[in-house]
Structures are given as C-alpha cells and as structure tokens.
C-alpha cells in the first residue's frame, strides 16, 4: 500500500467513525450510469441539448450539440434533472475524473454522455447542495471518490464501488445552510 492509499484509508476510517455518524452513498443517493448510445445530432430546435463530460466543466456552459428527440433510443434515460451530482467516469487522476459537477438550471432537461455517472440525492435524507459540497471537498470527498477507481492506464469509476463511499452526517441546519449556498451559486450565470 502506498502512502497515498494509507492516508485515504485513514480518511475513510475517520469518515466512517465520525462522531456525527455517517451514511454510505447509496443510503443518501441513487448512483447510476447509463449504457452507451448512438448520438444522433440535429439542429437546436429539433433536439435536446447534449453536453460531453468535458463540457460540464466549462465556466460558461453552453453546447452546439443537440440529440434528436425522435431518433435517440430511450432518450429519457439520458435527461438530467436539477440538483443531481455528476461525475466524469474516466480520465486522468488530477483531471476531471471524480470531480463533481452540480446540475444547475443550465443542465436541467439537458442530456450528457454515458461517460458521466449520475448521483441523484434522496432529498428526504440529504439536501443536494450538501451532498455536492461534501463530494467536491478536495480534502474529503474527492479522495474518497477516486479511491474507488479501477484501472491503471485509464482509471475509471463505477457506481457499484461509489455506493460504499462514506458521507459524514451533519445537523439538518448545517446541511440546509450549505445547500442554500450551493443552490444560490448555481443561479449565477456569467
């Protein structure tokens, strides 16, 4: 075990034994991916906005790609909802892999690649903004997410392994405060 792995193992143990308690990610969210699909692009008025995993990280989100509403098989499977947390499935460590993105109003009812894992918060348990902030934290969430990667040449994340990531509980008031901060920031468009 390398030093990096040992420090993440310590972080994982800390999260799981936190005095506030913790959940496993699958207890507070539905974590899933979608199957690969054929991208049939059409003009803007005839399709649904499509974002690649890289597009999700643009400061000013926009797209020139639109999936056909009539020719894309099972299109509804690929449509995003506001409040979801999105994770690039593969890439280079230190790149976009495992870096969460919050599905704000610019992504609502848009679609994204099968290279993006969807994390749908159970809002009856945890507010979406809190879960996003926790998973985005470079000192906690990101190392716990990337710890689950498989593959050396092109590392990848998989929902079945992400399901066991520890999420530290917080008071309802604190989670709500963090959620409001994230939601307020997601309303800002440059």
């Amino acid at each position: 075990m390398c030093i990096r792995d040992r420090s993440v193992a310590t972080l994982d143990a800390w999260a799981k034994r936190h005095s506030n308690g913790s959940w496993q990610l699958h207890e507070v969210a539905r974590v899933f991916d979608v199957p690969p699909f054929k991208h049939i692009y059409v003009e803007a008025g005839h399709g649904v906005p499509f974002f690649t995993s890289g597009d999700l990280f643009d400061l000013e989100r926009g797209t020139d790609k639109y999936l056909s509403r009539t020719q894309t098989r099972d299109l509804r499977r690929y449509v995003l909802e506001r409040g979801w947390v999105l994770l690039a499935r593969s890439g280079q460590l230190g790149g976009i892999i495992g870096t969460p993105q919050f599905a704000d109003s610019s992504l609502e009812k848009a679609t994204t690649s099968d290279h993006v894992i969807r994390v749908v918060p159970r809002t009856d348990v945890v507010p979406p903004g809190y879960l996003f902030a926790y998973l985005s934290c470079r000192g906690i969430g990101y190392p716990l997410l990337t710890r689950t990667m498989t593959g050396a040449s092109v590392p990848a994340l998989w929902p079945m392994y992400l399901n066991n990531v520890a999420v530290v509980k917080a008071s309802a008031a604190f989670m709500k405060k963090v959620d409001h901060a994230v939601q307020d920031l997601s309303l800002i468009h440059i």
Side-chain angles (χ1 to χ4, degrees):
M1 179 186 291
C2 71
I3 292 175
R4 179 186 164 277
D5 290 339
R6 206 170 309 135
S7 64
V8 177
T10 302
L11 175 63
D12 183 54
W14 167 84
K16 288 177 177 171
R17 295 185 187 114
H18 196 279
S19 60
N20 289 350
S22 66
W23 298 288
Q24 288 186 322
L25 186 56
H26 73 90
E27 295 176 297
V28 297
R30 184 172 145 233
V31 182
F32 69 100
D33 54 8
V34 295
F37 63 101
K38 186 173 183 178
H39 302 175
I40 301 171
Y41 298 119
V42 295
E43 292 179 23
H46 302 285
V48 179
F50 176 81
F51 292 83
T52 66
S53 56
D55 292 340
L56 297 176
F57 291 86
D58 289 344
L59 182 59
E60 191 172 342
R61 287 190 189 132
T63 186
D64 59 354
K65 297 176 188 84
Y66 297 84
L67 289 179
S68 171
R69 287 186 181 99
T70 59
Q71 299 299 311
T72 305
R73 187 177 183 160
D74 294 325
L75 179 64
R76 70 187 182 293
R77 295 176 82 172
Y78 306 100
V79 175
L80 303 173
E81 295 295 332
R82 187 178 180 143
W84 290 9
V85 179
L86 309 171
L87 302 170
R89 168 194 297 286
S90 59
Q92 297 175 334
L93 188 59
I96 64 173
I97 186 173
T99 302
Q101 288 298 302
F102 191 72
D104 58 15
S105 60
S106 68
L107 295 174
E108 187 173 27
K109 303 298 182 203
T111 58
T112 191
S113 168
D114 52 278
H115 294 279
V116 175
I117 294 173
R118 284 86 164 148
V119 179
V120 182
R122 287 189 43 212
T123 57
D124 61 321
V125 180
V126 63
Y130 174 77
L131 186 59
F132 167 74
Y134 178 85
L135 295 175
S136 296
C137 183
R138 286 306 229 188
I140 301 172
Y142 181 77
L144 292 175
L145 291 169
T146 56
R147 179 180 194 224
T148 70
M149 293 184 306
T150 61
S153 180
V154 180
L157 296 172
W158 303 96
M160 63 188 266
Y161 301 125
L162 292 171
N163 276 324
N164 297 319
V165 167
V167 177
V168 173
K169 294 180 180 180
S171 71
F174 179 77
M175 289 192 298
K176 189 174 185 178
K177 184 176 179 178
V178 172
D179 180 58
H180 283 151
V182 169
Q183 299 277 359
D184 288 348
L185 284 175
S186 74
L187 295 174
I188 298 172
H189 294 284
I190 297 173

